[in-house]
Amino acid sequence: MSTRRILKAVLIDLSGTLHIEDTAVSGAQEALQKLRSSPVAVKFVTNTTKECKRTLFERLQKLSFDIHEDEIFTSLTAARNFVEQKQVRPLLLVDNSALEDFEGVDTTDPNAVVVGLAPEHFNYDTLNKAFRLILDGAPLIAIHKARYYKKVDGLSLGPGPFITGLEYATDVKAAVVGKPEKPFFLEALRSIGCQPEEAVMIGDDVRDDVGGAQSAGMLGILVKTGKYRLGDEGKTNPAPYLTCDAFPQAVDHILYNML
């Protein structure tokens, strides 16, 4: 493992890395405080589409995490930016609690399809409406394509399988805006004035967090919490820079070996 880079920033995943729903990962709050005492910038990057940024921030506050709302960069924000850049009117397949982040976006007579995690909308009629729009030329925009995520009661399907089904049925490839896409990581780094070679990413998803970050030029640390499953560290090439039991151990490695 090379540790000769000058480290200026740490990007941190949220769900599965710092918390699982309303339960914090053991020792995560204290580890974040230790990291903040070092000379590195911190940014929280998440694919969470179950709730808007404000609700997510309030959840983290209740768990006693030292986080400021403007430090959180979400795939919902990236999706809204993409929709506005393309000047399209989306059919929003997102959880109702996430709609706040699209407030003001014109959704009348949709000519695009945006898909996040939306269990209450993943029914035949709604998916068929999306299918027909895409067949008529509407672009398919995936907020992210995670296969699954961790809930308190176990692993649950993410939006990826439903997006892949729409891709298969329409023969159209989705434009992905969240992790693991390189532009997502670069936009997060730009907001704190850092280059990829000056940053490390900590997350529980070997593909979207670690693989995406390393493809963007960062180092990736995989934690064995959240959605992690035995053997995940062998599923990307290159392999994770480091695999740790949990976020506190990742922070300790950074503080004692990378600064």
Side-chain angles (χ1 to χ4, degrees), residues 84-143:
E84 290 177 340
Q85 289 165 8
K86 297 297 182 182
Q87 297 183 324
V88 293
R89 302 180 305 277
L91 170 68
L92 293 170
L93 271 64
V94 299
D95 196 288
N96 291 339
S97 62
L99 289 174
E100 181 178 311
D101 285 353
F102 291 93
E103 189 174 338
V105 173
D106 185 5
T107 58
T108 58
D109 189 21
N111 60 0
V113 175
V114 173
V115 186
L117 182 62
E120 70 273 23
H121 298 306
F122 288 155
N123 56 69
Y124 185 87
D125 288 343
T126 304
L127 288 170
N128 200 47
K129 181 178 180 181
F131 163 73
R132 290 175 175 176
L133 282 170
I134 298 164
L135 282 186
D136 287 340
L140 174 58
I141 303 164
I143 300 180

Side-chain angles (χ1 to χ4, degrees), residues 7 14 36 113 115 138 158 175 194 222 236 257:
L7 187 67
L14 290 173
R36 285 200 182 280
V113 175
V115 186
C194 287
L222 178 66
T236 58
N257 296 280

